[in-house]
Amino acid sequence: MSPSSLTASDLPTPRPENTEQDRHFLQHALRLAREAQEMGSSPVGAVLVGPGGEVIAEGQNRTGETFGPERIGGNGLAHAEMDAFFRAGRLDDPSSLTLYTSLEPCLMCGGGSALIAVGRLVWATEDPWGGSGRLIAWDEHPAMKSTEVTATPFADLEHEGAALFAPEAKKAFPEEGWAMWQKRYPEETASVD
């Protein structure tokens, strides 16, 4: 079964020792997503966390902001995960790190996680259209085999993230993408005009 056909109930729950930490950092990522939205960007947040629970870097979608030429990546690459990676700089042992995101990473950010060799990736909300799981099988792709992926471990945070991102999904995605969002998240998309 490919990850894009999985639902939250099909996916493993977080390891018991990480449940409290996972919830904490996914809530942190959702706060960053709300801040990004307030700044005029897409509501997505990310937190890169060390093995002892220390925040290595955080990021938020910054595509709505204006940058000068000194900004690596400019607006188009200013996704939350990439923002966190750029802020983190050189990582000595990325396999010991966990990346928490409010939304399933896109192909660029999922690929970046694989290239950096992040040890664990956890997201609050699926992105049935723009998420990289629609294009790559996280557990089968050679670059991701060493990355543990935990998708949507908490129903309440998944709902919160879906409700937050749904207006953006309607605005940014084509009809097919919006239809996928409506099918996956009917309650969260019902009131989006």
Side-chain angles (χ1 to χ4, degrees), residues 8-38:
S9 61
D10 296 323
L11 297 167
T13 56
R15 296 172 297 191
E17 67 271 19
N18 288 331
T19 301
E20 187 175 319
Q21 179 171 306
D22 286 355
R23 176 173 284 283
H24 171 77
F25 287 115
L26 287 174
Q27 288 171 326
H28 187 136
L30 285 162
R31 280 192 299 277
L32 291 168
R34 286 188 293 278
E35 288 177 15
Q37 186 178 47
E38 291 169 7

Side-chain angles (χ1 to χ4, degrees), residues 4-127:
S4 61
S5 63
L6 297 175
T7 64
S9 61
D10 296 323
L11 297 167
T13 56
R15 296 172 297 191
E17 67 271 19
N18 288 331
T19 301
E20 187 175 319
Q21 179 171 306
D22 286 355
R23 176 173 284 283
H24 171 77
F25 287 115
L26 287 174
Q27 288 171 326
H28 187 136
L30 285 162
R31 280 192 299 277
L32 291 168
R34 286 188 293 278
E35 288 177 15
Q37 186 178 47
E38 291 169 7
M39 298 290 290
S41 294
S42 297
V44 184
V47 186
L48 190 60
V49 177
E54 68 280 9
V55 173
I56 304 299
E58 54 185 45
Q60 57 198 58
N61 188 290
R62 304 175 77 105
T63 57
E65 297 179 36
T66 303
F67 299 116
E70 75 286 348
R71 174 73 182 190
I72 297 173
N75 291 44
L77 299 178
H79 289 199
E81 299 88 344
M82 300 306 286
D83 189 38
F85 292 149
F86 288 138
R87 289 173 187 237
R90 182 174 173 82
L91 299 169
D92 292 328
D93 185 13
S95 65
S96 69
L97 306 179
T98 300
L99 178 65
Y100 292 94
T101 68
S102 61
L103 186 69
E104 178 183 0
C106 70
L107 190 57
M108 174 180 67
C109 297
S113 299
L115 290 172
I116 290 170
V118 170
R120 188 162 181 254
L121 181 55
V122 184
W123 61 78
T125 304
E126 287 182 10
D127 185 348

